[in-house]
Short mmCIF file of all heavy atoms in Angstrom, two decimals:
data_model
loop_
_atom_site.label_atom_id
_atom_site.label_comp_id
_atom_site.label_asym_id
_atom_site.label_seq_id
_atom_site.Cartn_x
_atom_site.Cartn_y
_atom_site.Cartn_z
N ARG A 199 12.43 22.50 0.63
CA ARG A 199 12.83 21.51 1.64
C ARG A 199 14.34 21.30 1.61
O ARG A 199 14.99 21.22 2.63
CB ARG A 199 12.09 20.19 1.41
CG ARG A 199 12.49 19.08 2.36
CD ARG A 199 11.54 17.88 2.33
NE ARG A 199 11.14 17.51 1.00
CZ ARG A 199 9.89 17.56 0.56
NH1 ARG A 199 8.92 17.96 1.35
NH2 ARG A 199 9.60 17.22 -0.68
N ASN A 213 9.90 11.75 -9.91
CA ASN A 213 8.55 11.33 -10.28
C ASN A 213 7.94 10.54 -9.13
O ASN A 213 8.64 9.77 -8.47
CB ASN A 213 8.60 10.44 -11.52
CG ASN A 213 8.97 11.23 -12.75
OD1 ASN A 213 8.39 12.27 -13.03
ND2 ASN A 213 9.98 10.74 -13.48
N PRO A 214 6.64 10.70 -8.90
CA PRO A 214 6.05 10.00 -7.76
C PRO A 214 5.96 8.49 -8.00
O PRO A 214 5.73 8.05 -9.12
CB PRO A 214 4.65 10.59 -7.67
CG PRO A 214 4.35 11.12 -9.03
CD PRO A 214 5.66 11.54 -9.61
N SER A 215 6.13 7.72 -6.92
CA SER A 215 6.02 6.26 -7.02
C SER A 215 4.58 5.86 -7.33
O SER A 215 4.34 4.89 -8.04
CB SER A 215 6.42 5.61 -5.70
OG SER A 215 7.76 5.91 -5.39
N TYR A 216 3.65 6.58 -6.73
CA TYR A 216 2.23 6.25 -6.93
C TYR A 216 1.51 7.46 -7.52
O TYR A 216 1.77 8.60 -7.13
CB TYR A 216 1.57 5.88 -5.59
CG TYR A 216 2.18 4.65 -4.97
CD1 TYR A 216 3.19 4.76 -4.01
CD2 TYR A 216 1.74 3.39 -5.34
CE1 TYR A 216 3.77 3.63 -3.46
CE2 TYR A 216 2.32 2.24 -4.79
CZ TYR A 216 3.33 2.38 -3.85
OH TYR A 216 3.89 1.25 -3.31
N GLN A 217 0.56 7.14 -8.40
CA GLN A 217 -0.22 8.18 -9.06
C GLN A 217 -1.21 8.84 -8.08
O GLN A 217 -1.35 10.04 -8.07
CB GLN A 217 -0.99 7.43 -10.13
CG GLN A 217 -1.38 8.13 -11.34
CD GLN A 217 -2.18 7.11 -12.19
OE1 GLN A 217 -1.96 5.89 -12.16
NE2 GLN A 217 -3.12 7.64 -12.94
N HIS A 218 -1.89 8.03 -7.28
CA HIS A 218 -2.85 8.56 -6.31
C HIS A 218 -2.29 8.35 -4.91
O HIS A 218 -2.04 7.21 -4.51
CB HIS A 218 -4.20 7.85 -6.43
CG HIS A 218 -4.73 7.82 -7.84
ND1 HIS A 218 -5.27 8.92 -8.46
CD2 HIS A 218 -4.80 6.80 -8.75
CE1 HIS A 218 -5.65 8.59 -9.70
NE2 HIS A 218 -5.37 7.30 -9.89
N ARG A 219 -2.11 9.44 -4.17
CA ARG A 219 -1.48 9.38 -2.85
C ARG A 219 -2.44 10.00 -1.84
O ARG A 219 -2.50 11.21 -1.68
CB ARG A 219 -0.13 10.12 -2.90
CG ARG A 219 0.77 9.59 -4.02
CD ARG A 219 2.02 10.43 -4.24
NE ARG A 219 1.78 11.78 -4.69
CZ ARG A 219 1.53 12.15 -5.94
NH1 ARG A 219 1.49 11.25 -6.91
NH2 ARG A 219 1.30 13.42 -6.24
N LEU A 220 -3.17 9.12 -1.17
CA LEU A 220 -4.33 9.61 -0.41
C LEU A 220 -4.22 9.50 1.09
O LEU A 220 -3.68 8.52 1.62
CB LEU A 220 -5.56 8.77 -0.78
CG LEU A 220 -6.33 9.11 -2.02
CD1 LEU A 220 -5.78 8.32 -3.18
CD2 LEU A 220 -7.79 8.79 -1.81
N SER A 265 -0.39 18.80 3.44
CA SER A 265 -0.43 17.54 2.70
C SER A 265 0.30 17.69 1.36
O SER A 265 1.08 16.82 0.97
CB SER A 265 -1.88 17.11 2.46
OG SER A 265 -2.31 16.30 3.52
N SER A 267 2.63 19.70 0.65
CA SER A 267 4.06 19.92 0.83
C SER A 267 4.83 18.60 0.90
O SER A 267 6.03 18.57 0.66
CB SER A 267 4.34 20.75 2.09
OG SER A 267 4.20 19.95 3.25
N VAL A 268 4.16 17.51 1.25
CA VAL A 268 4.83 16.21 1.24
C VAL A 268 4.39 15.36 0.05
O VAL A 268 4.63 14.16 0.01
CB VAL A 268 4.63 15.44 2.58
CG1 VAL A 268 5.45 16.10 3.67
CG2 VAL A 268 3.17 15.35 2.98
N GLY A 269 3.70 15.99 -0.88
CA GLY A 269 3.41 15.29 -2.14
C GLY A 269 2.09 14.54 -2.19
O GLY A 269 1.84 13.81 -3.15
N LEU A 270 1.26 14.69 -1.17
CA LEU A 270 -0.03 13.98 -1.21
C LEU A 270 -0.96 14.68 -2.19
O LEU A 270 -0.90 15.90 -2.34
CB LEU A 270 -0.64 13.94 0.19
CG LEU A 270 0.16 13.08 1.18
CD1 LEU A 270 -0.32 13.28 2.61
CD2 LEU A 270 0.08 11.60 0.80
N PRO A 454 -1.66 -0.40 -1.37
CA PRO A 454 -1.49 -0.61 0.06
C PRO A 454 -2.25 0.44 0.88
O PRO A 454 -2.34 1.60 0.48
CB PRO A 454 0.02 -0.44 0.29
CG PRO A 454 0.65 -0.31 -1.05
CD PRO A 454 -0.42 0.14 -1.99
N VAL A 456 -2.10 1.83 4.81
CA VAL A 456 -1.43 1.78 6.11
C VAL A 456 -2.18 2.70 7.07
O VAL A 456 -3.00 3.52 6.65
CB VAL A 456 0.06 2.20 6.02
CG1 VAL A 456 0.82 1.27 5.09
CG2 VAL A 456 0.20 3.64 5.57
N ILE A 458 -1.94 5.61 9.71
CA ILE A 458 -1.11 6.65 10.31
C ILE A 458 -1.56 6.89 11.75
O ILE A 458 -0.75 7.04 12.66
CB ILE A 458 -1.19 7.95 9.48
CG1 ILE A 458 -0.83 7.67 8.02
CG2 ILE A 458 -0.27 9.02 10.06
CD1 ILE A 458 -1.12 8.83 7.08
N PHE A 471 7.47 6.08 15.62
CA PHE A 471 7.69 6.58 14.25
C PHE A 471 7.42 5.41 13.29
O PHE A 471 8.14 4.41 13.29
CB PHE A 471 9.13 7.07 14.14
CG PHE A 471 9.49 7.65 12.80
CD1 PHE A 471 8.69 8.61 12.19
CD2 PHE A 471 10.67 7.26 12.16
CE1 PHE A 471 9.04 9.16 10.96
CE2 PHE A 471 11.03 7.81 10.94
CZ PHE A 471 10.22 8.77 10.34
N LEU A 472 6.33 5.56 12.53
CA LEU A 472 5.85 4.41 11.75
C LEU A 472 6.56 4.22 10.42
O LEU A 472 6.35 3.23 9.73
CB LEU A 472 4.35 4.57 11.52
CG LEU A 472 3.52 4.53 12.80
CD1 LEU A 472 2.06 4.90 12.51
CD2 LEU A 472 3.58 3.16 13.45
N SER A 473 7.41 5.17 10.07
CA SER A 473 8.10 5.07 8.79
C SER A 473 8.86 3.76 8.65
O SER A 473 8.86 3.13 7.59
CB SER A 473 9.05 6.26 8.67
OG SER A 473 9.68 6.25 7.43
N THR A 474 9.47 3.31 9.74
CA THR A 474 10.26 2.07 9.66
C THR A 474 9.35 0.88 9.39
O THR A 474 9.73 -0.07 8.71
CB THR A 474 11.06 1.84 10.95
OG1 THR A 474 10.17 1.95 12.07
CG2 THR A 474 12.17 2.86 11.12
N MET A 475 8.14 0.93 9.92
CA MET A 475 7.18 -0.14 9.67
C MET A 475 6.79 -0.17 8.20
O MET A 475 6.72 -1.22 7.57
CB MET A 475 5.96 0.08 10.55
CG MET A 475 4.80 -0.80 10.24
SD MET A 475 3.86 -1.09 11.73
CE MET A 475 2.32 -0.42 11.33
N TRP A 476 6.54 1.01 7.63
CA TRP A 476 6.13 1.06 6.22
C TRP A 476 7.30 0.74 5.30
O TRP A 476 7.11 0.15 4.24
CB TRP A 476 5.53 2.45 5.91
CG TRP A 476 4.40 2.79 6.83
CD1 TRP A 476 3.53 1.90 7.41
CD2 TRP A 476 4.01 4.09 7.31
NE1 TRP A 476 2.63 2.58 8.21
CE2 TRP A 476 2.90 3.93 8.16
CE3 TRP A 476 4.50 5.38 7.10
CZ2 TRP A 476 2.26 5.00 8.80
CZ3 TRP A 476 3.86 6.44 7.72
CH2 TRP A 476 2.76 6.25 8.56
N GLU A 477 8.48 1.14 5.72
CA GLU A 477 9.66 0.80 4.92
C GLU A 477 9.81 -0.73 4.89
O GLU A 477 10.09 -1.32 3.84
CB GLU A 477 10.90 1.45 5.57
CG GLU A 477 12.10 1.49 4.66
CD GLU A 477 13.34 2.08 5.35
OE1 GLU A 477 13.21 2.83 6.34
OE2 GLU A 477 14.44 1.76 4.88
N GLU A 478 9.60 -1.36 6.04
CA GLU A 478 9.67 -2.82 6.13
C GLU A 478 8.64 -3.46 5.17
O GLU A 478 8.95 -4.40 4.45
CB GLU A 478 9.35 -3.21 7.58
CG GLU A 478 9.44 -4.67 7.92
CD GLU A 478 9.21 -4.86 9.43
OE1 GLU A 478 10.07 -4.44 10.23
OE2 GLU A 478 8.17 -5.43 9.81
N LEU A 479 7.43 -2.89 5.16
CA LEU A 479 6.38 -3.40 4.27
C LEU A 479 6.81 -3.26 2.80
O LEU A 479 6.79 -4.22 2.04
CB LEU A 479 5.08 -2.62 4.49
CG LEU A 479 4.01 -2.81 3.41
CD1 LEU A 479 3.30 -4.14 3.58
CD2 LEU A 479 2.99 -1.67 3.43
N LEU A 480 7.19 -2.04 2.43
CA LEU A 480 7.47 -1.75 1.02
C LEU A 480 8.65 -2.58 0.51
O LEU A 480 8.69 -2.97 -0.65
CB LEU A 480 7.74 -0.25 0.85
CG LEU A 480 6.51 0.64 1.09
CD1 LEU A 480 6.90 2.10 1.29
CD2 LEU A 480 5.50 0.51 -0.05
N LYS A 481 9.59 -2.85 1.41
CA LYS A 481 10.78 -3.61 0.99
C LYS A 481 10.58 -5.12 1.07
O LYS A 481 11.44 -5.89 0.66
CB LYS A 481 11.98 -3.21 1.84
CG LYS A 481 12.47 -1.82 1.48
CD LYS A 481 13.77 -1.47 2.17
CE LYS A 481 14.30 -0.15 1.65
NZ LYS A 481 15.09 0.57 2.65
N ALA A 494 6.59 -2.82 -2.74
CA ALA A 494 6.66 -1.53 -3.43
C ALA A 494 6.54 -1.73 -4.94
O ALA A 494 5.69 -1.14 -5.59
CB ALA A 494 7.96 -0.81 -3.09
N ARG A 495 7.38 -2.59 -5.48
CA ARG A 495 7.42 -2.76 -6.93
C ARG A 495 6.18 -3.46 -7.47
O ARG A 495 5.80 -3.28 -8.61
CB ARG A 495 8.69 -3.49 -7.34
CG ARG A 495 9.96 -2.69 -6.99
CD ARG A 495 11.23 -3.32 -7.54
NE ARG A 495 11.24 -3.31 -8.99
CZ ARG A 495 11.27 -4.40 -9.73
NH1 ARG A 495 11.31 -5.60 -9.18
NH2 ARG A 495 11.29 -4.31 -11.04
N THR A 497 3.21 -2.91 -6.42
CA THR A 497 2.04 -2.03 -6.34
C THR A 497 2.25 -0.71 -7.09
O THR A 497 1.28 0.01 -7.33
CB THR A 497 1.68 -1.69 -4.88
OG1 THR A 497 2.85 -1.20 -4.21
CG2 THR A 497 1.15 -2.92 -4.14
N ASP A 498 3.50 -0.40 -7.45
CA ASP A 498 3.72 0.94 -8.04
C ASP A 498 3.83 0.92 -9.57
O ASP A 498 4.22 1.92 -10.18
CB ASP A 498 4.95 1.61 -7.42
CG ASP A 498 6.26 0.93 -7.79
OD1 ASP A 498 6.25 0.00 -8.63
OD2 ASP A 498 7.32 1.33 -7.26
N ALA A 508 -1.73 3.44 -6.57
CA ALA A 508 -2.19 4.29 -5.46
C ALA A 508 -1.70 3.74 -4.12
O ALA A 508 -1.28 2.58 -4.01
CB ALA A 508 -3.72 4.36 -5.46
N ILE A 509 -1.77 4.60 -3.13
CA ILE A 509 -1.46 4.20 -1.75
C ILE A 509 -2.30 5.08 -0.83
O ILE A 509 -2.57 6.25 -1.16
CB ILE A 509 0.06 4.34 -1.46
CG1 ILE A 509 0.42 3.74 -0.08
CG2 ILE A 509 0.53 5.79 -1.54
CD1 ILE A 509 1.92 3.52 0.12
N ALA A 510 -2.75 4.52 0.29
CA ALA A 510 -3.57 5.30 1.21
C ALA A 510 -3.07 5.15 2.64
O ALA A 510 -2.58 4.09 3.03
CB ALA A 510 -5.04 4.85 1.14
N GLY A 511 -3.20 6.22 3.40
CA GLY A 511 -2.86 6.19 4.82
C GLY A 511 -4.05 6.70 5.62
O GLY A 511 -4.64 7.73 5.26
N ALA A 529 5.16 13.39 12.57
CA ALA A 529 6.19 12.79 11.71
C ALA A 529 5.61 11.64 10.90
O ALA A 529 6.12 11.32 9.82
CB ALA A 529 7.36 12.30 12.55
N ASN A 530 4.55 11.03 11.40
CA ASN A 530 3.96 9.90 10.66
C ASN A 530 3.15 10.38 9.46
O ASN A 530 3.13 9.74 8.42
CB ASN A 530 3.12 9.03 11.61
CG ASN A 530 4.01 8.34 12.63
OD1 ASN A 530 5.17 8.04 12.34
ND2 ASN A 530 3.49 8.10 13.82
N TRP A 531 2.49 11.49 9.61
CA TRP A 531 1.81 12.12 8.47
C TRP A 531 2.86 12.49 7.42
O TRP A 531 2.73 12.19 6.23
CB TRP A 531 1.04 13.35 8.99
CG TRP A 531 0.28 14.17 8.00
CD1 TRP A 531 0.09 13.94 6.67
CD2 TRP A 531 -0.41 15.41 8.31
NE1 TRP A 531 -0.68 14.96 6.12
CE2 TRP A 531 -1.00 15.87 7.09
CE3 TRP A 531 -0.59 16.17 9.47
CZ2 TRP A 531 -1.75 17.05 7.01
CZ3 TRP A 531 -1.34 17.34 9.39
CH2 TRP A 531 -1.91 17.76 8.18
N TYR A 532 3.91 13.16 7.90
CA TYR A 532 5.00 13.57 7.03
C TYR A 532 5.60 12.36 6.30
O TYR A 532 5.75 12.36 5.07
CB TYR A 532 6.07 14.28 7.86
CG TYR A 532 7.23 14.83 7.07
CD1 TYR A 532 7.19 16.11 6.54
CD2 TYR A 532 8.37 14.05 6.84
CE1 TYR A 532 8.25 16.61 5.81
CE2 TYR A 532 9.43 14.54 6.11
CZ TYR A 532 9.38 15.82 5.59
OH TYR A 532 10.42 16.32 4.86
N ALA A 533 5.91 11.33 7.07
CA ALA A 533 6.59 10.15 6.49
C ALA A 533 5.69 9.45 5.48
O ALA A 533 6.17 8.99 4.44
CB ALA A 533 6.98 9.17 7.60
N PHE A 534 4.41 9.40 5.78
CA PHE A 534 3.52 8.74 4.82
C PHE A 534 3.56 9.46 3.47
O PHE A 534 3.67 8.83 2.41
CB PHE A 534 2.08 8.65 5.35
CG PHE A 534 1.15 8.13 4.29
CD1 PHE A 534 1.20 6.79 3.92
CD2 PHE A 534 0.29 8.97 3.61
CE1 PHE A 534 0.40 6.30 2.89
CE2 PHE A 534 -0.50 8.50 2.57
CZ PHE A 534 -0.45 7.17 2.21
N GLY A 535 3.47 10.77 3.51
CA GLY A 535 3.50 11.53 2.27
C GLY A 535 4.80 11.32 1.51
O GLY A 535 4.80 11.08 0.30
N ARG A 536 5.90 11.36 2.24
CA ARG A 536 7.21 11.23 1.58
C ARG A 536 7.38 9.85 0.96
O ARG A 536 7.91 9.71 -0.13
CB ARG A 536 8.33 11.52 2.58
CG ARG A 536 8.30 12.94 3.15
CD ARG A 536 8.73 13.98 2.11
NE ARG A 536 10.16 13.92 1.87
CZ ARG A 536 10.71 13.92 0.66
NH1 ARG A 536 9.95 13.95 -0.42
NH2 ARG A 536 12.03 13.87 0.53
N LEU A 537 6.90 8.80 1.65
CA LEU A 537 7.02 7.44 1.10
C LEU A 537 6.05 7.21 -0.05
O LEU A 537 6.33 6.44 -0.97
CB LEU A 537 6.79 6.39 2.20
CG LEU A 537 7.95 6.20 3.17
CD1 LEU A 537 7.52 5.34 4.35
CD2 LEU A 537 9.16 5.57 2.47
N ALA A 538 4.89 7.87 0.01
CA ALA A 538 3.93 7.74 -1.09
C ALA A 538 4.53 8.37 -2.34
O ALA A 538 4.33 7.91 -3.46
CB ALA A 538 2.61 8.40 -0.72
N TRP A 539 5.28 9.43 -2.13
CA TRP A 539 5.96 10.07 -3.26
C TRP A 539 7.12 9.21 -3.75
O TRP A 539 7.31 9.01 -4.95
CB TRP A 539 6.47 11.47 -2.89
CG TRP A 539 7.11 12.13 -4.08
CD1 TRP A 539 8.40 12.02 -4.48
CD2 TRP A 539 6.45 12.92 -5.07
NE1 TRP A 539 8.60 12.71 -5.65
CE2 TRP A 539 7.40 13.28 -6.03
CE3 TRP A 539 5.13 13.38 -5.21
CZ2 TRP A 539 7.09 14.06 -7.14
CZ3 TRP A 539 4.83 14.16 -6.32
CH2 TRP A 539 5.81 14.49 -7.27
N ASN A 540 7.91 8.74 -2.82
CA ASN A 540 9.10 7.97 -3.19
C ASN A 540 9.21 6.76 -2.27
O ASN A 540 9.70 6.87 -1.15
CB ASN A 540 10.35 8.85 -3.07
CG ASN A 540 11.61 8.11 -3.47
OD1 ASN A 540 11.57 6.90 -3.72
ND2 ASN A 540 12.72 8.82 -3.52
N ASN A 541 8.76 5.62 -2.76
CA ASN A 541 8.72 4.44 -1.88
C ASN A 541 10.09 3.80 -1.67
O ASN A 541 10.19 2.75 -1.07
CB ASN A 541 7.66 3.43 -2.37
CG ASN A 541 7.93 2.91 -3.77
OD1 ASN A 541 9.04 3.06 -4.31
ND2 ASN A 541 6.93 2.28 -4.38
N LYS A 542 11.12 4.49 -2.12
CA LYS A 542 12.47 3.98 -1.86
C LYS A 542 13.21 4.81 -0.82
O LYS A 542 14.34 4.50 -0.44
CB LYS A 542 13.29 3.96 -3.15
CG LYS A 542 12.76 2.95 -4.14
CD LYS A 542 13.63 2.90 -5.39
CE LYS A 542 12.93 2.18 -6.52
NZ LYS A 542 11.72 2.90 -7.02
N LEU A 543 12.59 5.86 -0.34
CA LEU A 543 13.26 6.70 0.67
C LEU A 543 13.53 5.88 1.93
O LEU A 543 12.79 4.97 2.26
CB LEU A 543 12.38 7.88 1.05
CG LEU A 543 12.31 9.09 0.13
CD1 LEU A 543 11.41 10.16 0.74
CD2 LEU A 543 13.70 9.66 -0.12
N THR A 544 14.58 6.27 2.66
CA THR A 544 14.83 5.58 3.91
C THR A 544 14.19 6.36 5.06
O THR A 544 14.05 7.59 5.01
CB THR A 544 16.34 5.47 4.20
OG1 THR A 544 16.85 6.81 4.36
CG2 THR A 544 17.07 4.77 3.08
N SER A 545 13.85 5.64 6.09
CA SER A 545 13.26 6.28 7.27
C SER A 545 14.27 7.23 7.91
O SER A 545 13.89 8.23 8.53
CB SER A 545 12.84 5.23 8.29
OG SER A 545 11.90 4.38 7.70
N GLU A 546 15.54 6.89 7.75
CA GLU A 546 16.59 7.74 8.31
C GLU A 546 16.54 9.13 7.67
O GLU A 546 16.55 10.14 8.36
CB GLU A 546 17.93 7.05 8.00
CG GLU A 546 19.02 7.32 9.01
CD GLU A 546 19.85 8.53 8.64
OE1 GLU A 546 19.99 8.81 7.45
OE2 GLU A 546 20.33 9.19 9.58
N GLN A 547 16.42 9.15 6.36
CA GLN A 547 16.37 10.44 5.68
C GLN A 547 15.09 11.21 6.04
O GLN A 547 15.12 12.42 6.29
CB GLN A 547 16.42 10.25 4.15
CG GLN A 547 16.29 11.60 3.45
CD GLN A 547 16.31 11.52 1.93
OE1 GLN A 547 16.79 10.55 1.35
NE2 GLN A 547 15.80 12.55 1.28
N ILE A 548 13.99 10.47 6.12
CA ILE A 548 12.72 11.12 6.41
C ILE A 548 12.76 11.73 7.82
O ILE A 548 12.34 12.87 8.04
CB ILE A 548 11.55 10.12 6.27
CG1 ILE A 548 11.45 9.65 4.82
CG2 ILE A 548 10.25 10.74 6.74
CD1 ILE A 548 10.48 8.51 4.58
N ALA A 549 13.28 10.97 8.77
CA ALA A 549 13.36 11.46 10.15
C ALA A 549 14.26 12.69 10.23
O ALA A 549 13.96 13.67 10.91
CB ALA A 549 13.87 10.36 11.08
N GLU A 551 15.00 14.88 7.85
CA GLU A 551 14.31 16.05 7.26
C GLU A 551 13.28 16.60 8.23
O GLU A 551 13.20 17.80 8.49
CB GLU A 551 13.51 15.61 6.02
CG GLU A 551 14.28 15.36 4.79
CD GLU A 551 13.35 14.82 3.68
OE1 GLU A 551 12.12 14.78 3.85
OE2 GLU A 551 13.90 14.42 2.64
N LEU A 585 13.94 6.21 15.12
CA LEU A 585 14.19 5.02 14.31
C LEU A 585 14.05 3.74 15.13
O LEU A 585 13.75 2.68 14.60
CB LEU A 585 15.58 5.10 13.67
CG LEU A 585 15.72 6.22 12.64
CD1 LEU A 585 17.15 6.32 12.11
CD2 LEU A 585 14.75 6.00 11.46
#
Side-chain angles (χ1 to χ4, degrees):
R199 176 167 43 244
N213 290 309
S215 299
Y216 298 94
Q217 208 182 329
H218 309 286
R219 306 171 296 279
L220 277 91
S265 270
S267 76
V268 288
L270 293 169
V456 299
I458 305 170
F471 182 49
L472 296 172
S473 183
T474 51
M475 170 150 119
W476 304 329
E477 196 183 338
E478 183 175 292
L479 166 77
L480 293 164
K481 288 188 173 151
R495 297 187 65 242
T497 52
D498 69 6
I509 188 165
N530 293 330
W531 179 5
Y532 183 89
F534 172 72
R536 298 288 287 133
L537 284 170
W539 182 273
N540 181 353
N541 61 15
K542 293 183 195 66
L543 281 182
T544 64
S545 300
E546 210 269 329
Q547 177 181 339
I548 296 172
E551 283 175 7
L585 294 176

